[in-house]
Amino acid sequence: MLRIWGRLSSQNVQKVMWLLGELDLEHEHIPAGGSFGRLSDQDFGQLNPNRLVPVIEDRGTAIWESHSILRYLAAQYGSMQLWPESPKERAAFDRWMDWCQTHWQPAFLTGVFWGYYRTPEQNRDWGAISASVARCSELMMIVESVLTENDYISGKNFTLGDIPFGSSLYRYFELDIERPSLPRVEAYYDRLKMRPSYNKHGKRPVETVVGNVRFWDTGGGTGMTGDGWFCDCPLLTSQALEVYGRY
């Protein structure tokens, strides 16, 4: 049976769980990361040398990095809609998966969700947070424009490309931040909420992680950690947060 390792409050784990639901794949979920620990275990390190979640085990193979997992599952188990034969058709959604990872997640997940929501108020960098909120608005307006002619991120139908971006919308619309007028994005979000697997995995409460990024003075800089994610790292600077905050 397919196994997935990770904590269900992680957005990157939620992406994979959402797709597993869309595919109706039987699987075993093993809680890992945060308060569940296990990331420093020798066995887990053999699955993923980066010691991050999510990880899946399928047919004797361990796969890590959430978007790699999504592509694998769609190619192995998905329909033509999720993994078409044509490289041109795959590129139409694949580019949005990379856009999400290289543009949207650094601005929202790292800059806003971590910088504001998960950081204690006394440690927040308001200048950086404001810049990230503004950047999110710019990126959202790109999506708003794309949705002028599309019902989904890459066309008329739901595709794999909707999962990375769509998985962040619950957090984006629930946070008390400034947002531009986004009628098409909101309508798109409503369409996603009609999907049972999205409702089950993409709308999990996040109150348990409010302000739980912990700071300490290491003498050589400021370190950060959040619910056990970074306990294996001797020093975590803001640069490290940009890398690890994606998980």
mmCIF file of all heavy atoms in Angstrom, residues 3 31 45 51 54 74 79 85 93 95 98 128 131-132 143 148 158 177 183 198 203 214 230 233-234 244 247:
data_model
loop_
_atom_site.group_PDB
_atom_site.id
_atom_site.type_symbol
_atom_site.label_atom_id
_atom_site.label_comp_id
_atom_site.label_asym_id
_atom_site.label_seq_id
_atom_site.Cartn_x
_atom_site.Cartn_y
_atom_site.Cartn_z
ATOM 1 N N ARG A 3 2.328 4.705 1.033
ATOM 2 C CA ARG A 3 2.459 5.397 2.310
ATOM 3 C C ARG A 3 2.789 6.859 2.070
ATOM 4 O O ARG A 3 3.544 7.198 1.156
ATOM 5 C CB ARG A 3 3.602 4.806 3.139
ATOM 6 C CG ARG A 3 3.341 3.457 3.762
ATOM 7 C CD ARG A 3 4.560 3.062 4.576
ATOM 8 N NE ARG A 3 4.347 1.881 5.373
ATOM 9 C CZ ARG A 3 5.257 1.375 6.211
ATOM 10 N NH1 ARG A 3 6.444 1.967 6.339
ATOM 11 N NH2 ARG A 3 4.993 0.294 6.918
ATOM 12 N N PRO A 31 1.947 10.088 10.475
ATOM 13 C CA PRO A 31 2.241 11.442 10.957
ATOM 14 C C PRO A 31 3.744 11.622 11.183
ATOM 15 O O PRO A 31 4.389 10.778 11.807
ATOM 16 C CB PRO A 31 1.463 11.524 12.274
ATOM 17 C CG PRO A 31 0.389 10.481 12.147
ATOM 18 C CD PRO A 31 1.009 9.366 11.367
ATOM 19 N N GLY A 45 15.592 9.334 7.419
ATOM 20 C CA GLY A 45 16.697 9.909 6.662
ATOM 21 C C GLY A 45 17.045 9.100 5.431
ATOM 22 O O GLY A 45 17.521 9.642 4.423
ATOM 23 N N ARG A 51 15.328 15.267 5.189
ATOM 24 C CA ARG A 51 14.546 15.129 6.425
ATOM 25 C C ARG A 51 13.392 16.131 6.489
ATOM 26 O O ARG A 51 13.171 16.810 7.485
ATOM 27 C CB ARG A 51 15.454 15.264 7.655
ATOM 28 C CG ARG A 51 16.536 14.187 7.707
ATOM 29 C CD ARG A 51 17.361 14.255 8.968
ATOM 30 N NE ARG A 51 18.407 13.240 8.969
ATOM 31 C CZ ARG A 51 18.225 11.958 9.328
ATOM 32 N NH1 ARG A 51 17.033 11.566 9.727
ATOM 33 N NH2 ARG A 51 19.235 11.098 9.301
ATOM 34 N N PRO A 54 6.492 16.499 2.553
ATOM 35 C CA PRO A 54 6.018 15.110 2.516
ATOM 36 C C PRO A 54 6.993 14.169 1.832
ATOM 37 O O PRO A 54 7.845 14.584 1.051
ATOM 38 C CB PRO A 54 4.730 15.228 1.693
ATOM 39 C CG PRO A 54 5.037 16.331 0.717
ATOM 40 C CD PRO A 54 5.844 17.328 1.504
ATOM 41 N N ALA A 74 0.180 11.598 -10.586
ATOM 42 C CA ALA A 74 -0.654 11.844 -11.762
ATOM 43 C C ALA A 74 -0.225 10.957 -12.926
ATOM 44 O O ALA A 74 -1.066 10.415 -13.654
ATOM 45 C CB ALA A 74 -0.583 13.310 -12.159
ATOM 46 N N SER A 79 -5.797 10.226 -14.662
ATOM 47 C CA SER A 79 -6.478 10.167 -15.947
ATOM 48 C C SER A 79 -5.757 11.070 -16.941
ATOM 49 O O SER A 79 -4.807 11.778 -16.601
ATOM 50 C CB SER A 79 -7.923 10.644 -15.777
ATOM 51 O OG SER A 79 -7.931 12.019 -15.388
ATOM 52 N N GLU A 85 -1.013 12.848 -22.496
ATOM 53 C CA GLU A 85 0.147 12.334 -23.221
ATOM 54 C C GLU A 85 0.939 13.458 -23.875
ATOM 55 O O GLU A 85 2.163 13.376 -23.998
ATOM 56 C CB GLU A 85 -0.297 11.328 -24.283
ATOM 57 C CG GLU A 85 -0.820 10.015 -23.722
ATOM 58 C CD GLU A 85 -1.133 9.018 -24.813
ATOM 59 O OE1 GLU A 85 -0.936 9.364 -26.006
ATOM 60 O OE2 GLU A 85 -1.584 7.913 -24.491
ATOM 61 N N PHE A 93 -0.116 23.278 -17.633
ATOM 62 C CA PHE A 93 -0.294 23.346 -16.173
ATOM 63 C C PHE A 93 1.028 23.253 -15.424
ATOM 64 O O PHE A 93 1.158 23.764 -14.318
ATOM 65 C CB PHE A 93 -1.274 22.275 -15.678
ATOM 66 C CG PHE A 93 -0.845 20.850 -15.856
ATOM 67 C CD1 PHE A 93 0.148 20.294 -15.079
ATOM 68 C CD2 PHE A 93 -1.478 20.034 -16.806
ATOM 69 C CE1 PHE A 93 0.535 18.970 -15.228
ATOM 70 C CE2 PHE A 93 -1.106 18.710 -16.960
ATOM 71 C CZ PHE A 93 -0.088 18.177 -16.171
ATOM 72 N N ARG A 95 3.819 24.711 -15.950
ATOM 73 C CA ARG A 95 4.429 26.029 -15.717
ATOM 74 C C ARG A 95 3.816 26.723 -14.508
ATOM 75 O O ARG A 95 4.495 27.461 -13.785
ATOM 76 C CB ARG A 95 4.277 26.889 -16.963
ATOM 77 C CG ARG A 95 2.835 27.127 -17.401
ATOM 78 C CD ARG A 95 2.765 27.733 -18.796
ATOM 79 N NE ARG A 95 1.383 27.870 -19.248
ATOM 80 C CZ ARG A 95 1.063 28.246 -20.485
ATOM 81 N NH1 ARG A 95 2.015 28.505 -21.365
ATOM 82 N NH2 ARG A 95 -0.208 28.370 -20.824
ATOM 83 N N ASP A 98 5.393 25.371 -11.326
ATOM 84 C CA ASP A 98 6.683 26.002 -11.054
ATOM 85 C C ASP A 98 6.512 27.458 -10.654
ATOM 86 O O ASP A 98 7.248 27.966 -9.792
ATOM 87 C CB ASP A 98 7.582 25.896 -12.285
ATOM 88 C CG ASP A 98 8.104 24.482 -12.505
ATOM 89 O OD1 ASP A 98 8.001 23.667 -11.570
ATOM 90 O OD2 ASP A 98 8.616 24.190 -13.601
ATOM 91 N N ALA A 128 9.175 43.857 5.926
ATOM 92 C CA ALA A 128 9.230 42.677 5.057
ATOM 93 C C ALA A 128 7.835 42.094 4.845
ATOM 94 O O ALA A 128 7.492 41.659 3.736
ATOM 95 C CB ALA A 128 10.157 41.628 5.665
ATOM 96 N N ALA A 131 5.910 44.238 2.375
ATOM 97 C CA ALA A 131 6.406 44.010 1.019
ATOM 98 C C ALA A 131 5.886 42.683 0.473
ATOM 99 O O ALA A 131 5.541 42.581 -0.713
ATOM 100 C CB ALA A 131 7.930 44.020 1.013
ATOM 101 N N SER A 132 5.803 41.677 1.324
ATOM 102 C CA SER A 132 5.296 40.371 0.890
ATOM 103 C C SER A 132 3.813 40.423 0.583
ATOM 104 O O SER A 132 3.349 39.820 -0.395
ATOM 105 C CB SER A 132 5.579 39.309 1.970
ATOM 106 O OG SER A 132 6.961 39.084 2.111
ATOM 107 N N VAL A 143 -3.207 36.126 -11.647
ATOM 108 C CA VAL A 143 -4.167 35.031 -11.695
ATOM 109 C C VAL A 143 -5.558 35.559 -12.041
ATOM 110 O O VAL A 143 -6.292 34.955 -12.833
ATOM 111 C CB VAL A 143 -4.193 34.265 -10.357
ATOM 112 C CG1 VAL A 143 -5.209 33.137 -10.401
ATOM 113 C CG2 VAL A 143 -2.807 33.713 -10.030
ATOM 114 N N THR A 148 -9.871 35.452 -16.495
ATOM 115 C CA THR A 148 -10.846 36.146 -17.332
ATOM 116 C C THR A 148 -11.439 35.198 -18.368
ATOM 117 O O THR A 148 -12.636 35.236 -18.667
ATOM 118 C CB THR A 148 -10.191 37.345 -18.049
ATOM 119 O OG1 THR A 148 -9.652 38.238 -17.083
ATOM 120 C CG2 THR A 148 -11.198 38.088 -18.915
ATOM 121 N N PHE A 158 -10.255 21.419 -14.463
ATOM 122 C CA PHE A 158 -9.350 21.197 -13.331
ATOM 123 C C PHE A 158 -8.173 20.342 -13.780
ATOM 124 O O PHE A 158 -8.336 19.332 -14.474
ATOM 125 C CB PHE A 158 -10.106 20.484 -12.213
ATOM 126 C CG PHE A 158 -9.265 20.114 -11.031
ATOM 127 C CD1 PHE A 158 -8.990 21.044 -10.040
ATOM 128 C CD2 PHE A 158 -8.756 18.829 -10.908
ATOM 129 C CE1 PHE A 158 -8.217 20.699 -8.937
ATOM 130 C CE2 PHE A 158 -7.980 18.475 -9.813
ATOM 131 C CZ PHE A 158 -7.710 19.413 -8.822
ATOM 132 N N ILE A 177 -5.343 40.165 6.230
ATOM 133 C CA ILE A 177 -4.359 40.948 5.490
ATOM 134 C C ILE A 177 -5.080 41.740 4.400
ATOM 135 O O ILE A 177 -6.219 41.445 4.042
ATOM 136 C CB ILE A 177 -3.272 40.068 4.839
ATOM 137 C CG1 ILE A 177 -3.912 39.044 3.897
ATOM 138 C CG2 ILE A 177 -2.423 39.380 5.908
ATOM 139 C CD1 ILE A 177 -2.905 38.222 3.112
ATOM 140 N N PRO A 183 -12.666 39.165 -7.764
ATOM 141 C CA PRO A 183 -13.908 38.411 -7.991
ATOM 142 C C PRO A 183 -13.703 37.109 -8.746
ATOM 143 O O PRO A 183 -14.372 36.109 -8.438
ATOM 144 C CB PRO A 183 -14.776 39.391 -8.787
ATOM 145 C CG PRO A 183 -13.810 40.369 -9.395
ATOM 146 C CD PRO A 183 -12.699 40.498 -8.395
ATOM 147 N N TYR A 198 -10.745 18.561 -1.743
ATOM 148 C CA TYR A 198 -10.224 19.857 -1.321
ATOM 149 C C TYR A 198 -10.802 20.241 0.037
ATOM 150 O O TYR A 198 -10.089 20.727 0.922
ATOM 151 C CB TYR A 198 -10.543 20.944 -2.338
ATOM 152 C CG TYR A 198 -10.031 22.298 -1.901
ATOM 153 C CD1 TYR A 198 -8.703 22.650 -2.098
ATOM 154 C CD2 TYR A 198 -10.847 23.211 -1.230
ATOM 155 C CE1 TYR A 198 -8.203 23.870 -1.663
ATOM 156 C CE2 TYR A 198 -10.370 24.426 -0.798
ATOM 157 C CZ TYR A 198 -9.048 24.749 -1.013
ATOM 158 O OH TYR A 198 -8.558 25.944 -0.566
ATOM 159 N N LYS A 203 -8.666 22.675 3.753
ATOM 160 C CA LYS A 203 -9.262 23.690 4.621
ATOM 161 C C LYS A 203 -9.078 23.330 6.093
ATOM 162 O O LYS A 203 -9.973 23.524 6.904
ATOM 163 C CB LYS A 203 -10.750 23.841 4.286
ATOM 164 C CG LYS A 203 -11.010 24.373 2.881
ATOM 165 C CD LYS A 203 -12.483 24.305 2.522
ATOM 166 C CE LYS A 203 -13.319 25.165 3.427
ATOM 167 N NZ LYS A 203 -14.752 25.098 3.094
ATOM 168 N N ARG A 214 9.891 30.047 17.093
ATOM 169 C CA ARG A 214 10.638 30.468 18.277
ATOM 170 C C ARG A 214 11.990 31.032 17.871
ATOM 171 O O ARG A 214 12.644 30.542 16.961
ATOM 172 C CB ARG A 214 10.809 29.282 19.227
ATOM 173 C CG ARG A 214 9.478 28.759 19.764
ATOM 174 C CD ARG A 214 9.695 27.696 20.814
ATOM 175 N NE ARG A 214 10.354 26.515 20.286
ATOM 176 C CZ ARG A 214 9.720 25.534 19.641
ATOM 177 N NH1 ARG A 214 8.429 25.625 19.404
ATOM 178 N NH2 ARG A 214 10.377 24.473 19.214
ATOM 179 N N PHE A 230 12.662 22.553 12.554
ATOM 180 C CA PHE A 230 14.045 22.906 12.276
ATOM 181 C C PHE A 230 15.009 22.469 13.372
ATOM 182 O O PHE A 230 16.103 22.971 13.481
ATOM 183 C CB PHE A 230 14.171 24.425 12.100
ATOM 184 C CG PHE A 230 13.227 24.995 11.097
ATOM 185 C CD1 PHE A 230 12.618 26.211 11.337
ATOM 186 C CD2 PHE A 230 12.944 24.324 9.933
ATOM 187 C CE1 PHE A 230 11.741 26.756 10.419
ATOM 188 C CE2 PHE A 230 12.070 24.852 9.015
ATOM 189 C CZ PHE A 230 11.467 26.066 9.252
ATOM 190 N N CYS A 233 18.699 21.772 12.716
ATOM 191 C CA CYS A 233 19.558 22.794 12.148
ATOM 192 C C CYS A 233 20.190 23.616 13.268
ATOM 193 O O CYS A 233 19.485 24.158 14.102
ATOM 194 C CB CYS A 233 18.758 23.710 11.230
ATOM 195 S SG CYS A 233 17.940 22.816 9.902
ATOM 196 N N PRO A 234 21.514 23.750 13.302
ATOM 197 C CA PRO A 234 22.169 24.479 14.387
ATOM 198 C C PRO A 234 21.892 25.965 14.359
ATOM 199 O O PRO A 234 21.871 26.609 15.387
ATOM 200 C CB PRO A 234 23.658 24.188 14.145
ATOM 201 C CG PRO A 234 23.751 23.868 12.684
ATOM 202 C CD PRO A 234 22.466 23.179 12.352
ATOM 203 N N TYR A 244 13.394 26.586 4.243
ATOM 204 C CA TYR A 244 12.667 25.559 5.010
ATOM 205 C C TYR A 244 11.217 25.923 5.262
ATOM 206 O O TYR A 244 10.410 25.040 5.551
ATOM 207 C CB TYR A 244 13.383 25.306 6.339
ATOM 208 C CG TYR A 244 14.668 24.563 6.166
ATOM 209 C CD1 TYR A 244 15.871 25.240 6.129
ATOM 210 C CD2 TYR A 244 14.678 23.174 6.016
ATOM 211 C CE1 TYR A 244 17.067 24.562 5.964
ATOM 212 C CE2 TYR A 244 15.866 22.491 5.840
ATOM 213 C CZ TYR A 244 17.065 23.191 5.828
ATOM 214 O OH TYR A 244 18.225 22.517 5.654
ATOM 215 N N TYR A 247 7.986 23.993 3.850
ATOM 216 C CA TYR A 247 7.591 22.629 4.172
ATOM 217 C C TYR A 247 6.693 22.562 5.395
ATOM 218 O O TYR A 247 6.513 23.543 6.066
ATOM 219 C CB TYR A 247 8.864 21.780 4.391
ATOM 220 C CG TYR A 247 9.650 21.688 3.113
ATOM 221 C CD1 TYR A 247 10.578 22.652 2.783
ATOM 222 C CD2 TYR A 247 9.380 20.663 2.224
ATOM 223 C CE1 TYR A 247 11.256 22.585 1.594
ATOM 224 C CE2 TYR A 247 10.072 20.591 1.032
ATOM 225 C CZ TYR A 247 11.000 21.552 0.723
ATOM 226 O OH TYR A 247 11.669 21.488 -0.469
#
